[in-house]
């Protein structure tokens, strides 16, 4: 039996509306307003604002459709109060003061936004200075064109920091993971590859799309010159590609990438909404979680579109053009109600997921102590809320929470576990902290090798393999021992 790809399996199991909901779930709060505006433009039956209804009007309104034909089923679309108006909020207790306290939209320089993302790397003071030098070398279009060996000299003369090209490469690789995608590239080819890497990471579960992106990556990586000259036949021959449809999709994926990730000239980027998706406050030891509601307007079904059914009920139902009109109206009303419901379902899913994360990492959220983070993987939360792992992944991706200790991306709270000598599991983040401490305190004339670091961690009670030490060291942007050696 032929094995189906994930995308094919999903298409068989999910309706188009369910697929649209999955996409809606992935949208962060900062972009939700744009998504809602798009829907408002496309669907005249969807409006902003709160529906004000009087009971007598509703009764008359529903009664007027009791005799409608099965073809219309008007009451299925118009008689439910649930869709009359809906405000994006966490628990139904909306407070206007919360809106005024939310972070507001601001315009900042590209340099400022990149430096703001440095905080998630956990760099020491020296590494941060080097990273800021690299960011300062990025031009307004998003590229870094100054040679790395020249930046090595800049650091030595201007800040008295001794480094080398290898260390700069490691830090630049981390900066290239920042938003906007493609930032910090040294040429167009690298810029496109960075963006394709990001897209592959974001679409790991869609095998069909992932395959297209991998082909696109190979085209840029191995056939960039042919691509720029549009020698498509040569590319297909060189890569042994036979599926023209996949090839066309891959070329299309490349051409949709951003060749200038820095945005407009002058170093200013478009307005960025610095809005976390969740808000968590500690009220005398009680953690209160809410969903950020600033960017979500009240939505309702258009009253004028609803009243069109009333006009139809009183008219000649044999009029073909009128039937077509009413069919169109019905479709728009259905879509409007679905969208309002999808927004509500999105909220519920986000809150259920975040509530489970807060419950799982309760000790951390109380004190902000990184050592209190428990090992937690996507499956743990999926089991807790009885949802699919892919759903939890979509919630965790590109979303953040504001706490008393700062704003954290949700991915920050997920980590694998390492067993201790006592048989307990601790978060890999705790092990990384211990690893960082060991390297910070080492004799720089005789830096610790990965083998010695492994033994030192085992002496502290962590059952860890040398290859895991190497992996964590690389994730911390720490070079190997020979590159850490100082005279």
């Amino acid at each position: 039996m032929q094995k189906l790809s994930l995308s094919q399996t999903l298409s068989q199991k999910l309706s188009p509306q369910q697929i649209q909901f999955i996409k809606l779930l992935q949208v962060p709060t900062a972009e939700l307003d744009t998504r809602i505006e798009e829907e408002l433009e496309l669907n005249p039956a969807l409006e902003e604002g709160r529906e004000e209804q009087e009971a007598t009007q509703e009764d008359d309104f529903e009664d007027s459709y009791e005799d409608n034909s099965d073809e219309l089923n008007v009451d299925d679309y118009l008689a439910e109060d649930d869709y009359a108006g809906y405000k994006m909020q966490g628990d139904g207790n909306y407070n206007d003061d919360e809106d005024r306290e939310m972070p507001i939209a601001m315009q900042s320089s590209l340099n400022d936004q990149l430096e703001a993302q440095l905080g998630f790397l956990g760099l020491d003071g020296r590494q941060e200075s080097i990273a800021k030098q690299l960011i300062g070398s990025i031009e307004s279009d998003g590229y870094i064109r100054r040679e790395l060996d020249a930046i090595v000299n800049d650091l030595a003369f201007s800040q008295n920091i001794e480094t080398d090209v290898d260390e700069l490469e490691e830090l630049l690789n981390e900066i290239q993971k920042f938003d906007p995608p493609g930032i910090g590239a040294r040429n167009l080819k690298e810029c496109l590859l960075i963006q394709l890497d990001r897209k592959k990471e974001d679409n790991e579960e869609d095998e069909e799309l992932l395959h297209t992106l991998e082909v696109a990556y190979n085209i840029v990586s191995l056939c960039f010159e042919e691509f720029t000259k549009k020698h498509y036949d040569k590319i297909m021959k060189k890569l042994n590609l036979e599926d023209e449809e996949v090839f066309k999709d891959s070329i299309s994926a490349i051409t949709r990438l951003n060749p200038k990730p820095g945005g407009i000239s002058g170093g200013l980027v478009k307005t960025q909404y610095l809005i976390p998706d969740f808000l968590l406050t500690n009220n005398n030891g009680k953690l209160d979680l809410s969903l950020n509601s600033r960017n979500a307007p009240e939505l309702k079904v258009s009253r004028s579109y609803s009243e069109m059914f009333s006009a139809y009920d009183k008219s000649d139902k044999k009029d073909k053009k009128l039937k077509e009109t009413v069919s169109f109206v019905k479709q728009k009303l259905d879509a409007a109600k679905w969208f309002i419901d999808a927004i509500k379902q999105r909220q519920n899913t986000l809150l259920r997921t975040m509530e489970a994360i807060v419950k799982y990492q309760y000790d951390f959220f109380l004190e902000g102590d990184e050592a209190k983070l428990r090992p937690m993987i996507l499956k743990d939360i999926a089991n807790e809320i009885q949802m699919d792992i892919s759903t939890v992944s979509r919630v965790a991706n590109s979303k953040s929470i504001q706490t008393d200790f700062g704003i954290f991306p949700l991915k920050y709270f997920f980590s694998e576990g390492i067993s201790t000598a006592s048989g307990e599991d601790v978060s890999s983040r705790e092990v990384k902290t211990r690893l960082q401490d060991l390297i910070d305190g080492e004799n720089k004339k005789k830096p610790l090798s990965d083998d010695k670091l492994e033994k030192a961690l085992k002496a502290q009670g962590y059952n860890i393999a040398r290859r895991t030490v190497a992996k964590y060291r690389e994730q911390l942007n720490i070079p190997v021992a020979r590159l850490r050696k100082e005279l």
Side-chain angles (χ1 to χ4, degrees):
M1 183 180 292
Q2 184 180 5
K3 184 177 180 181
L4 296 176
S5 69
L6 179 61
S7 59
Q8 290 172 319
T9 303
L10 286 176
S11 65
Q12 291 180 2
K13 293 182 177 180
L14 302 181
S15 68
Q17 289 185 333
Q18 288 173 316
I19 294 174
Q20 286 300 313
F21 171 72
I22 289 173
K23 293 181 179 180
L24 186 63
L25 187 62
Q26 291 177 269
V27 177
T29 299
E31 299 174 15
L32 184 61
D33 189 49
T34 301
R35 175 67 183 88
I36 291 174
E37 287 297 329
E38 291 174 354
E39 194 69 21
L40 287 168
E41 290 180 7
L42 289 172
N43 191 349
L46 182 68
E47 295 180 352
E48 290 186 83
R50 177 173 297 173
E51 184 86 45
E52 296 182 2
Q53 297 177 328
E54 296 180 8
T56 55
Q57 289 179 332
E58 285 185 6
D59 293 339
D60 294 341
F61 179 66
E62 292 176 14
D63 290 341
S64 67
Y65 297 109
E66 288 180 356
D67 296 328
N68 272 350
S69 67
D70 292 337
E71 179 185 355
L72 288 177
N73 287 327
V74 181
D75 52 342
D76 289 343
Y77 297 92
L78 303 175
E80 297 178 23
D81 294 335
D82 291 344
Y83 301 93
Y86 183 68
K87 177 90 175 173
M88 284 287 294
Q89 55 193 42
D91 54 8
N93 299 319
Y94 183 74
N95 187 339
D96 289 338
D97 291 338
E98 291 177 0
D99 261 355
R100 290 193 288 270
E101 293 172 0
M102 294 297 163
I104 60 174
M106 62 177 292
Q107 196 174 58
S108 61
S109 70
L110 176 63
N111 186 285
D112 290 340
Q113 291 197 16
L114 294 175
E115 287 193 4
Q117 297 175 69
L118 278 180
F120 296 127
L121 295 184
L123 304 178
D124 58 30
R126 176 180 170 279
Q127 290 174 321
E128 186 172 322
S129 296
I130 296 174
K132 286 183 177 180
Q133 185 76 24
L134 285 168
I135 289 174
S137 301
I138 295 176
E139 299 177 16
S140 60
D141 59 0
Y143 289 85
I144 181 168
R145 295 184 174 87
R146 188 163 176 75
E147 296 294 333
L148 293 187
D149 54 4
I151 297 178
V152 169
N153 293 333
D154 294 342
L155 286 162
F157 287 113
S158 64
Q159 301 189 49
N160 197 28
I161 295 177
E162 294 293 333
T163 184
D164 55 33
V165 172
D166 289 337
E167 185 175 17
L168 289 188
E169 284 272 9
E170 290 185 9
L171 285 172
L172 181 58
N173 287 339
E174 293 302 315
I175 292 171
Q176 289 174 345
K177 297 175 184 177
F178 289 176
D179 288 325
I183 203 71
R186 284 160 285 188
N187 51 56
L188 177 59
K189 178 180 178 180
E190 186 175 37
C191 179
L192 299 179
L193 290 175
I194 291 170
Q195 293 179 64
L196 287 169
D197 258 334
R198 180 79 66 90
K199 285 185 174 294
K200 287 198 295 179
E201 181 181 334
D202 291 342
N203 294 279
E204 289 179 345
E205 297 172 355
D206 189 332
E207 293 181 4
E208 188 173 321
L209 177 56
L210 184 60
H211 176 62
T212 298
L213 293 171
E214 286 173 345
V215 172
Y217 188 93
N218 288 335
I219 292 172
V220 176
S221 177
L222 304 174
C223 308
F224 186 69
E225 185 176 349
E226 291 89 342
F227 170 74
T228 58
K229 296 178 180 179
K230 298 186 178 181
H231 292 167
Y232 296 147
D233 290 340
K234 291 183 179 179
I235 295 174
M236 293 190 70
K237 183 177 181 180
K238 187 174 182 178
L239 298 180
N240 294 319
L241 295 175
E242 297 180 356
D243 192 329
E244 291 189 7
E245 196 65 34
V246 171
F247 178 74
K248 289 179 181 178
D249 290 343
S250 300
I251 294 295
S252 177
I254 298 171
T255 56
R256 290 197 301 268
L257 300 175
N258 185 5
K260 293 185 178 181
I264 61 176
S265 60
L268 285 179
V269 295
K270 66 180 180 180
T271 300
Q272 299 289 326
Y273 289 89
L274 306 180
I275 301 177
D277 302 86
F278 304 93
L279 308 174
L280 186 71
T281 56
N282 187 338
N283 294 324
N284 298 320
K286 179 186 176 184
L287 297 179
D288 292 332
L289 175 68
S290 62
L291 188 62
N292 193 331
S293 57
R294 179 177 178 83
N295 275 343
E298 295 171 341
L299 299 174
K300 65 179 182 180
V301 173
S302 168
R303 191 70 178 179
S304 61
Y305 261 63
S306 302
E307 291 172 350
M308 288 184 188
F309 278 112
S310 179
Y312 174 75
D313 188 59
K314 298 173 184 177
S315 65
D316 181 6
K317 298 180 178 60
K318 296 180 180 180
D319 189 320
K320 183 177 179 181
K321 289 186 178 180
L322 187 56
K323 275 191 174 184
E324 291 175 353
T325 300
V326 173
S327 177
F328 170 79
V329 171
K330 172 185 171 184
Q331 181 183 21
K332 292 301 181 182
L333 287 170
D334 191 22
K337 290 181 62 178
W338 173 85
F339 187 77
I340 293 171
D341 189 48
I343 291 292
K344 185 175 182 179
Q345 186 179 348
R346 175 185 183 274
Q347 265 198 314
N348 292 336
T349 303
L350 292 180
L351 277 172
R352 284 182 63 192
T353 304
M354 193 66 237
E355 285 169 355
I357 294 174
V358 171
K359 179 181 177 182
Y360 210 96
Q361 302 291 5
Y362 195 83
D363 291 340
F364 168 82
F365 286 113
L366 276 178
E367 303 176 18
D369 184 355
E370 191 177 66
K372 297 289 181 68
L373 280 173
R374 298 171 56 194
M376 184 180 77
I377 58 176
L378 294 172
K379 186 178 180 181
D380 294 326
I381 301 302
N383 290 340
E384 179 70 23
I385 62 176
Q386 295 297 300
M387 288 187 179
D388 193 81
I389 291 177
S390 62
T391 301
V392 178
S393 176
R394 288 182 174 93
V395 173
N397 188 40
S398 301
K399 293 181 178 64
S400 61
I401 181 170
Q402 179 176 304
T403 73
D404 294 340
F405 320 106
I407 298 177
F408 296 88
L410 296 198
K411 290 182 178 180
Y412 176 84
F413 305 109
F414 291 89
S415 63
E416 56 195 6
I418 295 291
S419 63
T420 64
S422 61
E424 298 178 353
D425 273 349
V426 297
S427 168
S428 60
R429 196 172 298 280
E430 177 182 333
V431 181
K432 289 178 184 178
T433 299
R434 301 292 175 262
L435 178 61
Q436 183 75 62
D437 292 342
L438 286 171
I439 293 175
D440 288 344
E442 70 186 358
N443 182 351
K444 295 305 178 184
K445 292 183 178 180
K446 294 181 179 180
L448 299 171
S449 65
D450 289 346
D451 285 329
K452 291 181 179 179
L453 289 169
E454 174 198 355
K455 293 175 181 177
L457 287 170
K458 284 184 174 178
Q460 294 183 10
Y462 301 104
N463 296 326
I464 190 169
R466 190 203 63 79
R467 64 179 179 276
T468 306
V469 171
K471 181 178 75 171
Y472 288 174
R473 176 180 52 73
E474 291 172 357
Q475 290 175 353
L476 290 169
N477 306 307
I478 299 173
V480 296
R482 62 183 177 80
L483 296 178
R484 303 198 306 272
K485 186 174 182 179
E486 297 177 2
L487 299 177

